Amino acid sequence: MLLDRYLPRIEFDSYEDFKENYRVNVPDDFNFGWDIVDEWAKQEPEKKALVWLSHDKQEKTFTFTDISKLSNKTCHYFRSLGLKKGDVVLLILRRRWEYWVIATALHKLGVILIPGNLLFTTHDIAYRGNMAEISAIIACDDEYIRGQRRSCSRDKDSPQENSSCRAP
């Protein structure tokens, strides 16, 4: 069982027992994409990983195998753009299923992910870009975000746009 790798004990007699004895063993080379998503895909290929509901109530279900395959393709695409381990990426994707595929792909690459949201102002984007020395901004193709990015790139203190891509 996957939990056995990281949790030496999962049953407890009381809250006090839990507080005293709960441990998580995380290896130094732990990678969520490889060690959790891909491992679940191997162990239980049809296990549900994500059920997403659109604003117009269209449901989309993904297995761990789906997320594994999509994140692998996305990982290769990001690598072809030059993203590599240690790079910092700002991710702004509304509430979309693609967020989870992209986040998993970035984890597989060893990229540091900064989650963003649509409430970010031009100042917020510029500040995060400068402080974190971001390599890329990945955002949904949305007029609001395009406007914020354009304003940000005109700001003399903001990072220059290095690369962007649409969700897979």
Side-chain angles (χ1 to χ4, degrees):
M1 176 184 240
L2 189 57
L3 284 178
D4 295 337
R5 288 186 188 174
Y6 307 105
L7 301 174
R9 186 172 166 197
I10 58 173
E11 293 186 25
F12 302 91
D13 297 326
S14 65
Y15 180 67
E16 288 74 26
D17 181 27
F18 174 80
K19 282 186 353 184
E20 188 174 323
N21 296 302
Y22 179 77
R23 302 283 181 271
V24 178
N25 299 325
V26 181
D28 290 337
D29 62 348
F30 177 80
N31 182 297
F32 176 78
W34 305 119
D35 296 329
I36 300 297
V37 174
D38 288 357
E39 191 57 35
W40 271 121
K42 286 178 198 165
Q43 288 185 20
E44 294 184 51
E46 296 305 311
K47 183 177 181 67
K48 282 184 190 178
L50 174 67
V51 178
W52 180 80
L53 188 65
S54 70
H55 67 281
D56 59 350
K57 304 211 182 340
Q58 298 298 310
E59 188 175 288
K60 194 168 178 83
T61 301
F62 297 88
T63 64
F64 277 94
T65 300
D66 296 330
I67 301 292
S68 176
K69 288 179 180 179
L70 288 167
S71 65
N72 284 340
K73 286 175 67 172
T74 306
C75 179
H76 290 295
Y77 176 68
F78 289 152
R79 184 177 287 132
S80 78
L81 294 176
L83 289 177
K84 62 192 177 313
K85 184 175 183 172
D87 284 346
V88 180
V89 171
L90 177 61
L91 183 56
I92 307 172
L93 283 181
R94 292 190 182 262
R95 291 178 296 270
R96 301 181 56 91
W97 64 265
E98 292 93 342
Y99 176 90
W100 299 104
V101 171
I102 291 171
T104 303
L106 293 173
H107 287 301
K108 287 179 177 184
L109 273 175
V111 168
I112 299 163
L113 168 64
I114 299 176
N117 67 61
L118 291 177
L119 299 177
F120 279 180
T121 64
T122 301
H123 175 317
D124 296 328
I125 294 170
Y127 176 80
R128 282 160 178 79
N130 288 323
M131 295 305 291
E133 298 179 6
I134 61 172
S135 300
I137 297 173
I138 300 171
C140 54
D141 190 14
D142 179 282
E143 183 54 41
Y144 174 77
I145 292 172
R146 285 192 305 268
Q148 292 294 74
R149 196 188 71 215
R150 280 192 298 271
S151 296
C152 189
S153 65
R154 286 191 298 267
D155 181 341
K156 67 178 175 48
D157 294 326
S158 70
Q160 294 305 304
E161 179 180 344
N162 293 328
S163 63
S164 63
C165 62
R166 292 188 179 168

